Amino acid sequence: LAVGIPFGLLLGINRTVSDMFHPIMNFFQSVSGIAIFPIIVIWWGNSDKTVLVIILYTSFFPIAFSVLAGVREIPMQYINAARTLGASRYQVIRDVLVPGALPHIATGSRLSISFAWRAVIAGEMLAGREGLGWMIFTAQDADLTAQVILGMILIGVTWIVLDQYLLRPLEADTI
């Protein structure tokens, strides 16, 4: 979110830059985190850094695209009105673009966090040494079906709690 939101805002400000980056971003969004996992492991090995890179890669594009779409949907007359009243570029971003894109930011954040959650589990399975993904993967190697199912239940319950008590109220407050 800390990288994707500002990036989406920057792209949304300038249509030429947005049009230039859109195909590149679309390409990388279509290549899943699991598909780039082998190259990340080659570069960084089986480490927490690998898992973090996969999480960043997987969650970056949904929020960046959502913010970009939110900024693009703001009517130009609002931006022009702020400029007419003497607003600086920073003030236009702070007072017009961010509030106007807030519903998209909230929805994109929720989507991005859900992708990040899946990436955490996948990363732990493939490169981690702890966590629910690692627990499931090691239980599968030992034919411990009950432990695999327990891991799946914990993943689902954790997501439901996170979504229900943090993300939905946050999204509802911004829309």
Side-chain angles (χ1 to χ4, degrees):
L1 299 180
V3 176
I5 292 172
F7 191 77
L9 282 169
L10 288 174
L11 288 183
I13 292 170
N14 188 316
R15 186 167 296 279
T16 304
V17 174
S18 172
D19 291 344
M20 185 175 69
F21 273 92
H22 195 272
I24 297 165
M25 288 178 52
N26 208 12
F27 171 82
F28 283 108
Q29 179 172 327
S30 69
V31 178
S32 74
I34 297 300
I36 69 155
F37 203 89
I39 196 81
I40 301 301
V41 170
I42 291 169
W43 290 343
W44 283 293
N46 286 336
S47 67
D48 289 341
K49 187 184 285 188
T50 300
V51 176
L52 289 174
V53 169
I54 293 300
I55 292 166
L56 177 64
Y57 177 85
T58 304
S59 61
F60 172 78
F61 296 104
I63 187 63
F65 273 120
S66 291
V67 174
L68 174 61
V71 170
R72 287 289 171 203
E73 285 186 14
I74 297 170
M76 278 305 292
Q77 62 204 43
Y78 295 166
I79 296 167
N80 291 336
R83 286 185 181 150
T84 301
L85 293 171
S88 67
R89 191 171 194 83
Y90 172 74
Q91 288 171 322
V92 169
I93 293 169
R94 184 190 68 203
D95 298 335
V96 179
L97 298 182
V98 171
L102 209 51
H104 284 81
I105 293 170
T107 302
S109 296
R110 189 170 173 209
L111 182 63
S112 187
I113 291 169
S114 72
F115 282 17
W117 178 241
R118 292 179 188 139
V120 166
I121 303 304
E124 288 173 352
M125 284 181 169
L126 300 172
R129 298 287 175 244
E130 59 187 353
L132 291 172
W134 179 80
M135 180 187 89
I136 290 171
F137 210 61
T138 56
Q140 177 251 327
D141 284 343
D143 294 328
L144 299 172
T145 305
Q147 192 170 334
V148 171
I149 293 170
L150 174 65
M152 292 166 47
I153 291 169
L154 289 173
I155 289 167
V157 168
T158 302
W159 177 252
I160 288 170
V161 169
L162 179 66
D163 186 58
Q164 186 70 33
Y165 296 106
L166 178 67
L167 299 176
R168 281 185 188 198
L170 181 66
E171 185 177 27
D173 287 346
T174 60
I175 295 179

